[in-house]
């Protein structure tokens, strides 16, 4: 990973919580990218609002996360999670209550 980040050809790194092993590993990757001046994007696979809400919270607190693609909750026929993040067009609305869902 460090080799890729230092290669100067990498402009944006797409991170998916489910592929990197969760928030802790994502934070390590984001920190390494920030050290190398690389922007990050948070993406997701077809996931419920639980994991998308976690990713949205993460996107809101790290300055080098400049993009996100977290609209996969709109692809689910039925989401088993109540509460959590809401999609309103291109905008994600985080819940005001504590927690992820």
């Amino acid at each position: 990973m460090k080799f890729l980040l230092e290669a100067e050809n990498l402009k944006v790194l797409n991170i998916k919580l489910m592929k990197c092993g969760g928030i802790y590993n994502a934070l390590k990757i984001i920190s390494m990218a920030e050290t190398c001046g690389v922007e990050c994007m948070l993406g997701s696979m077809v996931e419920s609002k639980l994991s998308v809400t976690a990713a949205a919270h993460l996107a809101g607190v790290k300055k080098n996360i400049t993009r996100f693609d977290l609209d996969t909750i709109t692809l689910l026929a039925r989401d088993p999670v109540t509460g959590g993040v809401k999609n309103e067009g291109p905008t994600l609305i985080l819940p005001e209550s504590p927690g992820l869902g």
Side-chain angles (χ1 to χ4, degrees), residues 47-67:
E47 303 165 15
S48 76
K49 284 190 273 185
L50 185 65
S51 59
V52 172
T53 301
H57 278 282
L58 183 58
V61 298
K62 299 304 284 181
K63 66 182 179 180
N64 66 322
I65 298 176
T66 59
R67 302 164 175 83

Side-chain angles (χ1 to χ4, degrees), residues 3-40:
F3 169 77
L4 290 173
L5 291 170
E6 292 174 345
E8 296 184 16
N9 294 332
L10 186 63
K11 302 301 179 202
V12 178
L13 183 63
N14 188 354
I15 301 167
K16 296 181 180 184
L17 293 183
M18 296 301 117
K19 286 191 173 187
C20 74
I23 294 171
Y24 179 74
N25 287 336
L27 284 168
K28 291 194 298 187
I29 294 167
I30 292 163
S31 293
M32 289 188 324
E34 188 172 26
T35 299
C36 295
V38 174
E39 295 178 22
C40 293

Side-chain angles (χ1 to χ4, degrees), residues 50 53 57 82-85 94-101:
L50 185 65
T53 301
H57 278 282
T82 56
V85 70
L94 289 170
E96 293 192 27
S97 58
L100 298 177

Side-chain angles (χ1 to χ4, degrees), residues 70-85:
L70 301 172
D71 61 351
T72 60
I73 56 176
T74 63
L75 303 175
L76 297 176
R78 183 182 155 289
D79 192 336
V81 177
T82 56
V85 70

